[in-house]
Structures are given as structure tokens and as C-alpha cells.
Amino acid sequence: MSDQRKIIIIGGGILGCSAAYALSKQPNCQITLFESNTLAAATTSYAAALLTRARQKTVIADLVRETFTAIEELDQLLGQKLPYNPVGSLHLGSEPESRQQVEQMAQIAAQQNLRVDWLSSHQVMELCPWLDLPEDTLAALLPDDGFIDPYQLAIAYAQGAKTLTRQPESSSSLEIHQNCRVEKILQQGDKVMGIELANGEQVFADVVIDAAGPWSTMLARQVGINLAMAPVRSHYWITEALDSVPKDSPMVTLPDARAYARPEVGHLLFGLRDYHPIYASPDKLPQDLAGFSFGQDEQGWEALEDGYEALSRFFPGLNQTGIEHYISSISSYTPDGAPLIGFLKDSQGKMLLEGFIAMTGCSGGGIGMSGGMGRLVSELALGQQAYTDLTPLAIERFGAIDPLDENFQRQCALARCGKRSG
Ligand SMILES: Cc1cc2nc3c(=O)[nH]c(=O)nc-3n(C[C@H](O)[C@H](O)[C@H](O)COP(=O)(O)OP(=O)(O)OC[C@H]3O[C@@H](n4cnc5c(N)ncnc54)[C@H](O)[C@@H]3O)c2cc1C
């Protein structure tokens, strides 16, 4: 057991759990995960969890592909199918800019060997009777996309990791400690040595993975790392039950209305990108997100009003539709919308701080990228070759920034306002 590599994971959201799962496939790992609350109870449980494969950035497509692979593996390993709904995703464009975006997305999909079906407006409205589309709408269906329950996927990663490490042939071990908060990161010179818990207990390790979601920023600052991300509002609404939303109808992205939607057991779940940036400061976050508010537009009515006209052009029934739920929480946005993964390095690629890996900044896509992020972090922790190019995810790629600076936080929130895809 002495040559085991000791790895601590801070945070038991979907990313911490996916890191544990990826590491548990490797030999000689002593994995310890600390979660201050309970697994997957923070931002993970709020996600709409759309899983779309066609991504503009190759690296993101590589990360998402691994999530689909992980879902298939977990189905086998745990002997029961995860609640993945392969309903497909429809990309709709009416205005010139959006039509161009749909064409681009279809090109990217084709380059990635993904199936794309072009549909007429009439065919789309048969699939999604809640929609009313102008005749000339460009509609691309990617039938292999879908959505999943994010909580159950996170728990499945953790269960998968437990199952693998309990197999007689496994030389790795896993401990998951819930209700166990990491208070300090222990550093000696240019090396991170472990962590200290809220009760004062110290635990030493070869590698500490910071997967603490929006709280990652303040942990990383303890070791002098400024993570280039900010807590930004993400939100969606769930309507009353509607006959016009078949349970297996495709997910929809509507760049003309800055909107996305998917069926939610006979109800319609729809999200809108904010026109106005709403964000918080990482040093002001409570430890528990239940009841968290950004201090403005708490029920989302202003955002709904901002987006109402554009959305109701495509969803004319909106003004007669009851809203049953409004869900709002934090997404950790970076200025370019790609996550932050890796060790801190200088411009020559030399490691500046050993033993500390960041795994965060998912910019509204952490469920979709979870499988790939877990795999990458496991490869980094074990000194293996990364399976995809890490450069676009490097944590130092924005240069010197201050995550506590309001202008920087605003810049991150604007990245979300500008997002048009799913
Ligand atoms: C409204 C909404 C819709 C979304 N829709 C989608 C979508 O459609 N598709 C998609 O891919 N993504 C979506 N997301 C984004 C997705 O939810 C996140 O990217 C993902 O959940 C991030 O996971 P995480 O593990 O980094 O964070 P979290 O789930 O927040 O986990 C971090 C964990 O760290 C723990 N922690 C914090 N500090 C400490 C500490 N000091 N010690 C120990 N533990 C600690 C916390 O308790 C928490 O459990 C959405 C998000 C929101 C809010």
C-alpha cells in the first residue's frame, strides 16, 4: 500500500465525483473525497442537464464525448440504466445571424461525425407542438443528444468509483466523507502538502484537486492562485403540464430568443440567457446555496419580461401558460466560456505549484463535460499524458486577473449573456 498515490478531492459535486470515478479505474490510488455538505446537493442539483455533443471548441467536444462514454460504462457497471433521455436536440434559426449559427453548428457536427437531420418547420412543429415557426426557419436535429438527471449522474459516478475500488483485483481505495469541510490547504514552499478540515484534522496527500464549484476560488486563493471565473446567475422556468409538450420531444435551442427548452415529464423547461449580467463575488457566497439570492430580480420576472417578446414569437402560448417553478442558481463562468483545469504553470509550461489541480469554471456546462474533466484530472494527478490538448483550459490563460474585482466578475457574466448555444 505504501506506493499508493494519495489524492484528495475537495468537493462532491458532479466534478469531484467524476474525478473519483476516473481515478478509481487506475491502480494504486488512495482517493479521499471531502464534501462539506452532501454529495451533489450544490450547483449540480440545479442543472437543466442538456447534453449536446456538437461544440465549437474541439476540446469541449472531447470532454463531452467522454461523458456519453461514462454514462454507457456506468449503466454496465452498476447494472441499471441511468435516467438518460435520448430525445435529440433541435437547433432553430430564423434571423440571418441565427441561421448562420445553425449552419455552423451542423458543419461542426458533420466534422465530428455526428448525425444531423434537416427538418422543415412543419416537421418541427409536429415534434414540438408548443412551437410556432416561421416558414423559412432553418432546423437541424441532432438525434443523438439528450438530457439526464444531473443528481443521479453525479451519484452514479460516486457509486461507480466505490464499486471499482471494492473489486478484489483493485489496488486503489476510496473514502468519501460528507459533512466534512476543508478549511485550509496546506502548502510548503512551492508544494501543496494536503488539507486541514474544519475540526483541525490535517490530511496529507500527493495531490489536492480543487473541485469545490463556485467555492473553488477562495480555496485556490489560499495558495496564491487567482481562478479566472465568477459566480454568475443561471436560471430556467418550468411551466404547468402542457399537452403540446410530448415527453419525448427534442430539446430546443433558439438563438433568436436567447432561449433553450426541453420536455420535463409533460411540462416545458425553458431557460433564457440574461440580457443584463447578474453575478456575485466569490468571497460573499454562503456555504449552503439553499435560499441563495443574487440580490436582484429574485423571482426572475425581470429576466422573463426582457425575453418575453422574442420567446413568444416562437412559443405563442407563453402568455396563457402557468409557470410552476423558477430555478435559479450559480454557474461559474470564465471570460471565454471554457473551464479551468490543471496545475498552475508559467508561460514556458514550468509548474509553479506542485500538488494542486484546479477543476472548475464550467461556464454552464459541467454536467455535459463531467466525464472528460474527470478523465483529464485523473491523468494529470497521475502524471499521465492528457488525452486531449489542455492548452485552451489552462488556468493561467487569462494572465493576471483578480476574481474579487467587480469589473472582472462582470466580464465573466457578460460571457454568459453572449452565449447563444445550448
Ligand atoms: C440553472 C442552471 C442550469 C444549468 N444547466 C446546465 C446544463 O444544461 N448542462 C450542463 O452541463 N451544466 C448545466 N449547469 C451547470 C452545472 O450545474 C455545473 O457546471 C456543475 O454542476 C458544476 O459542478 P461542480 O461539481 O463543479 O460544482 P458543485 O455541484 O457546486 O459542487 C461543488 C461541491 O463542493 C463542495 N464544497 C465547497 N467548498 C468546500 C470545502 N471547503 N470543503 C469541502 N467541500 C466543499 C460544495 O458543498 C459542493 O457540493 C447549470 C447550472 C445552473 C445553475
Side-chain angles (χ1 to χ4, degrees):
M1 298 296 267
S2 57
D3 60 357
Q4 275 198 327
R5 193 146 170 84
K6 294 189 175 120
I7 299 161
I8 287 175
I9 301 170
I10 311 176
I14 197 158
L15 293 190
C17 293
S18 73
Y21 173 62
L23 283 162
S24 70
K25 294 184 198 172
Q26 303 288 335
N28 299 319
C29 293
Q30 187 182 317
I31 313 156
T32 313
L33 185 152
F34 294 106
E35 163 53 52
S36 59
N37 197 317
T38 52
L39 293 183
T43 64
T44 293
S45 63
Y46 293 88
L50 274 55
L51 306 183
T52 54
R53 298 177 205 242
R55 302 300 182 108
Q56 218 161 14
K57 293 187 172 111
T58 312
V59 64
I60 308 284
D62 288 347
L63 296 177
V64 174
R65 197 174 312 114
E66 283 297 308
T67 306
F68 282 96
T69 305
I71 291 171
E72 281 176 20
E73 283 172 5
L74 289 165
D75 282 349
Q76 293 277 326
L77 182 66
L78 302 175
Q80 64 183 57
K81 277 201 149 315
L82 277 162
Y84 171 61
N85 303 275
V87 293
S89 66
L90 255 173
H91 302 260
L92 305 174
S94 169
E95 299 297 325
E97 201 190 331
S98 303
R99 292 173 64 88
Q100 203 184 1
Q101 190 182 317
V102 173
E103 273 167 2
Q104 266 173 7
M105 194 283 312
Q107 266 172 18
I108 291 166
Q111 282 158 10
Q112 293 168 6
N113 293 322
L114 302 171
R115 190 176 134 198
V116 181
D117 298 336
W118 292 100
L119 304 187
S120 67
S121 295
H122 180 71
Q123 286 172 313
V124 171
M125 290 188 292
E126 275 188 352
L127 286 173
C128 302
W130 59 274
L131 279 168
D132 186 16
L133 297 182
E135 198 56 41
D136 61 347
T137 305
L138 208 54
L141 175 69
L142 272 77
D144 298 322
D145 288 342
F147 66 92
I148 194 159
D149 182 312
Y151 176 82
Q152 293 197 50
L153 177 56
I155 298 300
Y157 280 125
Q159 280 173 340
K162 272 190 197 163
T163 306
L164 287 173
T165 49
R166 282 180 188 162
Q167 284 174 351
E169 65 274 20
S170 174
S171 54
S172 293
S173 65
L174 170 70
E175 282 180 29
I176 294 182
H177 300 274
Q178 301 188 65
N179 299 306
C180 209
R181 185 177 163 75
V182 171
E183 209 62 56
K184 273 192 208 149
I185 297 183
L186 305 173
Q187 181 181 2
Q188 212 170 66
D190 55 7
K191 178 155 176 36
V192 163
M193 311 297 292
I195 54 99
E196 185 174 304
L197 297 170
N199 65 7
E201 187 190 338
Q202 296 191 332
V203 186
F204 295 93
D206 301 298
V207 178
V208 172
I209 297 170
D210 180 2
W215 298 272
S216 302
T217 308
M218 297 313 290
L219 284 167
R221 272 174 79 89
Q222 291 186 16
V223 290
I225 294 180
N226 279 317
L227 291 177
M229 64 183 214
V232 173
R233 175 171 81 172
S234 282
H235 56 178
Y236 56 79
W237 294 260
I238 299 176
T239 67
E240 62 187 326
L242 295 172
D243 291 339
S244 57
V245 184
K247 288 188 177 63
D248 56 356
S249 57
M251 316 184 290
V252 171
T253 64
L254 258 175
D256 289 302
R258 307 160 65 94
Y260 64 87
R262 68 161 173 82
E264 172 71 11
V265 281
H267 302 237
L268 186 71
L269 178 159
F270 69 91
L272 294 170
R273 315 284 178 224
D274 277 331
Y275 282 74
H276 305 291
I278 293 192
Y279 49 94
S281 190
D283 58 337
K284 303 275 174 351
L285 299 180
Q287 283 177 24
D288 187 343
L289 287 184
F292 171 74
S293 154
F294 286 87
Q296 40 181 322
D297 188 22
E298 289 182 20
Q299 297 306 313
W301 292 116
E302 287 171 29
L304 190 52
E305 206 176 306
D306 286 342
Y308 176 79
E309 200 181 318
L311 182 59
S312 58
R313 269 183 59 213
F314 300 93
F315 178 18
L318 178 59
N319 66 348
Q320 289 116 39
T321 299
I323 302 288
E324 284 193 355
H325 302 283
Y326 170 63
I327 311 292
S328 157
S329 191
I330 293 172
S331 281
S332 298
Y333 265 79
T334 60
D336 64 4
L340 303 166
I341 305 182
F343 293 100
L344 182 69
K345 298 197 170 158
D346 69 11
S347 52
Q348 266 73 52
K350 182 174 162 261
M351 197 180 296
L352 296 175
L353 182 66
E354 248 183 85
F356 182 86
I357 298 177
M359 182 194 199
T360 186
C362 294
S363 305
I367 311 302
M369 297 185 291
S370 56
M373 289 182 71
R375 176 170 170 186
L376 266 186
V377 159
S378 129
E379 289 164 345
L380 285 174
L382 301 175
Q384 300 169 351
Q385 174 74 36
Y387 84 99
T388 184
D389 179 17
L390 273 164
T391 321
L393 315 176
I395 63 175
E396 60 283 346
R397 68 185 184 274
F398 301 101
I401 58 93
D402 180 0
L404 302 190
D405 173 50
E406 208 199 319
N407 286 327
F408 176 75
Q409 293 159 9
R410 193 180 162 77
Q411 192 190 337
C412 295
L414 286 170
R416 175 168 166 75
C417 295
K419 192 171 168 183
R420 294 283 182 278
S421 55

